Amino acid sequence: MMYRLLADAAMVAHFAFLAYLAVGGFLAWRWRRTIYVHLAVVGWAVLSLVTGVECPLTVVEDWARRKAGQPGLPPSGFVDHYIQGVIYPEQYANLVRLGLAVLVLFSYVGYVLRRQ
């Protein structure tokens, strides 16, 4: 039971991380200091995308799912299991990444303009 709760908590934290990745720059328009947290989140996302380093939340969820007697996450990871192919077709992965990058850049431009 505890392993299942831990796996679910890791999954929810992962979705929250991805949501913050998408809109955290806009939150910084209101709460300026949060831009540093968002920069760290974007840095981690870029690092994991470029180098393929595995996210600790994925490791925790996979481990907890296996301990709970459930199948673990596929080797492709969290995004491929829960999002890619579920929310959008796999062939649009690069387009979605580009859209997310444009959204983040737009939020940063707005942050700089609002700061002046």
Side-chain angles (χ1 to χ4, degrees), residues 27-90:
L27 294 176
W29 290 12
R30 174 71 173 99
W31 298 286
R32 291 185 179 192
R33 291 185 182 168
T34 63
I35 194 70
Y36 301 112
V37 175
H38 194 256
L39 286 168
V41 167
V42 170
W44 175 259
V46 169
L47 177 72
S48 66
L49 186 63
V50 171
T51 66
V53 66
E54 196 168 20
C55 178
L57 289 169
T58 301
V59 173
V60 168
E61 182 185 353
D62 185 55
W63 174 80
R65 286 171 60 108
R66 291 179 192 279
K67 286 288 196 177
Q70 298 178 330
L73 291 175
S76 54
F78 177 87
V79 171
D80 289 345
H81 181 71
Y82 289 109
I83 298 175
Q84 191 170 305
V86 177
I87 296 177
Y88 59 86
E90 291 180 34

